[in-house]
């Protein structure tokens, strides 16, 4: 996911990547997660640790990227996001991208005009 705008920084509590709409999360707490920036100690790995008590925070509000390495090409049909508690820190626009090699990225869905409610998961079908 690559954000394009938001509050003074970004925060996301949990991300689920699903092979089927409404299906199980294919990420685990050992899924490698990286971010463009991290406001320590709120690491990108917190977004796949299966806990809504932890979260990732960026150091900047624009052009932030969260990336997950699933180890092998995997078709993802839905992305679910649990927002950060401070809703103004959640992205109001972002692009969901996919890659088979972690180098070349293809935009799968662009979202704009998003509004979040603390504690309420949002799902985005691809």
């Amino acid at each position: 996911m690559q954000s394009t705008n938001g509050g003074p920084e970004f925060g996301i509590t949990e991300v689920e990547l699903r092979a089927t709409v409404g299906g199980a999360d294919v990420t685990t707490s050992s899924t490698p997660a990286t971010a463009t920036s991290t406001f320590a100690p709120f690491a990108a790995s917190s977004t796949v640790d299966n806990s809504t008590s932890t979260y990732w925070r960026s150091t900047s509000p624009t052009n932030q990227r969260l990336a997950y390495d699933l180890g092998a090409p995997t078709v993802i049909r839905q992305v679910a996001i649990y927002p950060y508690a401070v809703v103004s820190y959640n992205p109001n626009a972002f692009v969901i991208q996919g890659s088979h090699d972690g180098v070349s990225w293809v935009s799968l869905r662009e979202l704009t005009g998003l509004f979040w409610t603390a504690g309420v998961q949002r799902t985005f079908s691809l």
Side-chain angles (χ1 to χ4, degrees):
M1 292 186 309
Q2 182 168 351
S3 65
T4 54
N5 60 348
E9 60 194 44
F10 283 116
I12 292 179
T13 300
E14 191 75 16
V15 173
E16 294 181 2
L17 304 178
R18 300 172 179 169
T20 59
V21 173
D25 181 12
V26 300
T27 68
T28 68
S29 58
S30 61
T31 298
T34 57
T36 306
S37 70
T38 297
F39 185 87
F42 309 106
S45 59
S46 295
T47 63
V48 290
D49 65 0
N50 298 313
S51 171
T52 55
S53 299
T54 59
Y55 53 90
W56 162 74
R57 276 177 56 189
S58 72
T59 59
S60 170
T62 57
N63 296 320
Q64 296 299 305
R65 180 179 293 219
L66 280 172
Y68 305 98
D69 184 349
L70 300 178
T74 305
V75 174
I76 300 300
R77 299 282 184 214
Q78 187 177 55
V79 175
I81 299 175
Y82 289 88
Y84 180 56
V86 180
V87 293
S88 64
Y89 284 22
N90 290 288
N92 56 25
F94 62 91
V95 178
I96 298 172
Q97 298 177 317
S99 174
H100 288 288
D101 60 11
V103 177
S104 299
W105 295 86
V106 174
S107 293
L108 303 174
R109 184 159 178 201
E110 185 171 342
L111 298 133
T112 61
L114 297 173
F115 297 94
W116 300 86
T117 302
V120 178
Q121 177 193 64
R122 304 264 320 251
T123 58
F124 307 97
S125 295
L126 306 176

